[in-house]
Amino acid sequence: MSIHSYKNKKVLITGGLGFIGSNLARRLVGLGAQVTLVDSLVPVYGGNLFNISDIRNSVACNISDVRDPHAITYLVQGQDFLFNLAGQTSHMDSMTSPREDLEINAAAQLSIVEACRAVNPNIKLVFASTRQIYGKPDYLPVDELHPIRPVDVNGINKLAGEWYHLLYNNVYGIRACVLRLTNTYGPAMRVKDARQTFLGIWVRSLIEGAPIKVFGDGKQLRDFNYVDDCVDAMLLAGASDIANGKVYNLGSKEVINLGDLAAMTVGLGYGGQYELVPFPAERKAIDIGDYYSDFSLISRELGWEPSVGLEEGLKKTVEYYMANNQHYWDASK
Ligand SMILES: NC(=O)c1ccc[n+]([C@@H]2O[C@H](COP(=O)([O-])OP(=O)(O)OC[C@H]3O[C@@H](n4cnc5c(N)ncnc54)[C@H](O)[C@@H]3O)[C@@H](O)[C@H]2O)c1
């Protein structure tokens, strides 16, 4: 099955009003799918109706919470695909509100796969996991065989979320696969604060003329995916039966340290400056150090390669927020 086979298929996206979910929805609408978005729109997370303003009349939107098993059981009925992206994404919040993270990222995930087993075992599931579960890498690049050692509550619960999907694939034959995303950025990411990604607050600082704050010595290595590349990976994983029961890393060949990334961001031509500041202790305690992934498995098996370069992606992102910032933050605050 190719990604063009989404035409006329019924697709449910949990977390569909969030950053990646809304970009995925837009692509699926373009491919002719019948798309339903589920999102709780809890204000501290990334959901934002503006993210789908251009496709609002082409998707069904259901404002409900994945922690409600009755709503989920109703919503998964008759769907061909479920892209399961609803999540509490803040690592810091997982430490201050660990039970909420458990309820969304683990318990609700169990309800979702249970609902599929009960009313729609023929559905195909794609779960958005995170590279955070590896913890501090023993070696680089990190492949899927690297030990799992979460450094925060979020990592533990996302791992449980992954395994509910894999278990239901293995035991009940409900087709499911897992993508371990690395830092994903682009239009529609949460830029109001640093809850979702530090790049969000960097973009806001750049546009507001405030210095970008780089924690530590700026030497920390990271890889980044532009959201369109991440969406490509999700569509390929959903469309492929080779992916069933598998875990794939996403990543990029463009590995960069955060100091150089800040320099690249201020060098885009929109002004701005950056400064190195001491790592806040509470962030340092759950930091994973250098990270970049080996994503050769998904390249080999599904033919996925990221195609948007970092500089090009950053430019598109900054331009998007320059044009639309009023929908993402209140400039008076
Ligand atoms: N963006 C990244 O860099 C990144 C990296 C690794 C993993 N991920 C994973 O990808 C997925 C999507 O992340 P995103 O970056 O688009 O974040 P996001 O916060 O923009 O999207 C998540 C969406 O889920 C919704 N949501 C949260 N709790 C919910 C609940 N209980 N019921 C219904 N909806 C709920 C939020 O309102 C939000 O719209 C998440 O599962 C996240 O863990 C993202």
Side-chain angles (χ1 to χ4, degrees):
M1 182 180 171
S2 83
I3 60 167
H4 298 291
S5 319
Y6 287 104
K7 192 168 173 57
N8 297 328
K9 291 288 192 299
K10 295 185 80 179
V11 181
L12 189 67
I13 306 176
T14 67
L17 296 176
F19 164 39
I20 302 170
S22 60
N23 280 286
L24 175 63
R26 183 171 300 102
R27 191 80 72 77
L28 281 162
V29 166
L31 291 170
Q34 297 169 39
V35 180
T36 301
L37 310 179
V38 185
D39 206 293
S40 58
L41 278 180
V42 175
V44 288
Y45 304 148
N48 184 338
L49 274 168
F50 183 74
N51 289 344
I52 58 151
S53 50
D54 57 333
I55 51 166
R56 185 65 193 89
N57 296 326
S58 311
V59 295
C61 223
N62 190 299
I63 307 302
S64 53
D65 198 301
V66 294
R67 284 169 287 187
D68 176 354
H70 303 298
I72 290 304
T73 303
Y74 173 75
L75 286 163
V76 299
Q77 287 177 56
Q79 299 290 337
D80 297 303
F81 296 92
L82 167 52
F83 290 94
N84 193 5
L85 276 62
Q88 191 301 105
T89 62
S90 162
H91 300 285
M92 289 303 301
D93 287 3
S94 81
M95 303 304 285
T96 50
S97 307
R99 186 157 286 276
E100 186 160 14
D101 193 275
L102 172 79
E103 282 159 7
I104 298 173
N105 289 332
Q109 304 308 317
L110 179 58
S111 305
I112 290 170
V113 292
E114 253 306 279
C116 293
R117 187 181 71 78
V119 300
N120 188 1
N122 293 324
I123 199 168
K124 168 76 186 264
L125 291 150
V126 178
F127 178 67
S129 183
T130 171
R131 55 110 169 98
Q132 187 78 359
I133 64 169
Y134 293 117
K136 287 187 176 50
D138 286 346
Y139 58 84
L140 293 166
V142 173
D143 58 19
E144 292 85 353
L145 300 175
H146 187 283
I148 303 287
R149 268 189 313 254
V151 291
D152 55 31
V153 169
N154 181 264
I156 295 173
N157 294 330
K158 288 297 277 190
L159 181 63
E162 278 191 2
W163 274 95
Y164 291 134
H165 288 75
L166 297 171
L167 183 85
Y168 274 58
N169 177 90
N170 299 344
V171 174
Y172 300 116
I174 298 169
R175 296 166 302 145
C177 64
V178 170
L179 299 181
R180 288 184 185 149
L181 277 50
T182 188
N183 302 273
T184 308
Y185 71 99
M189 67 184 178
R190 185 182 174 97
V191 293
K192 193 164 18 182
D193 51 37
R195 272 209 159 77
Q196 200 173 61
T197 157
F198 66 87
L199 258 177
I201 196 70
W202 282 20
V203 167
R204 177 174 172 175
S205 300
L206 185 86
I207 292 172
E208 292 190 321
I212 287 172
K213 291 189 184 348
V214 181
F215 296 154
D217 61 6
K219 300 279 182 245
Q220 205 174 21
L221 295 172
R222 285 284 183 276
D223 54 1
F224 297 87
N225 282 140
Y226 187 67
V227 64
D228 288 358
D229 286 326
C230 176
V231 165
D232 282 344
M234 291 191 166
L235 293 173
L236 286 167
S240 163
D241 276 334
I242 298 169
N244 299 342
K246 301 258 180 72
V247 172
Y248 296 108
N249 281 348
L250 302 191
S252 166
K253 288 193 178 122
E254 226 177 326
V255 176
I256 188 166
N257 76 45
L258 298 189
D260 289 346
L261 180 67
M264 183 187 276
T265 309
V266 303
L268 291 172
Y270 307 105
Q273 50 188 303
Y274 73 95
E275 62 188 24
L276 302 180
V277 297
F279 228 117
E282 68 282 10
R283 285 190 183 268
K284 186 73 194 161
I286 60 170
D287 183 58
I288 60 168
D290 292 340
Y291 176 91
Y292 53 94
S293 82
D294 177 336
F295 58 94
S296 55
L297 187 64
I298 189 169
S299 296
R300 244 185 355 263
E301 294 197 349
L302 306 185
W304 179 78
E305 293 277 347
S307 66
V308 180
L310 193 47
E311 196 163 349
E312 179 195 349
L314 284 172
K315 219 169 169 18
K316 287 186 185 175
T317 306
V318 173
E319 282 170 5
Y320 176 82
Y321 287 101
M322 285 170 75
N324 298 302
N325 59 57
Q326 73 276 20
H327 300 289
Y328 291 92
W329 73 78
D330 178 351
S332 66
K333 288 185 188 159

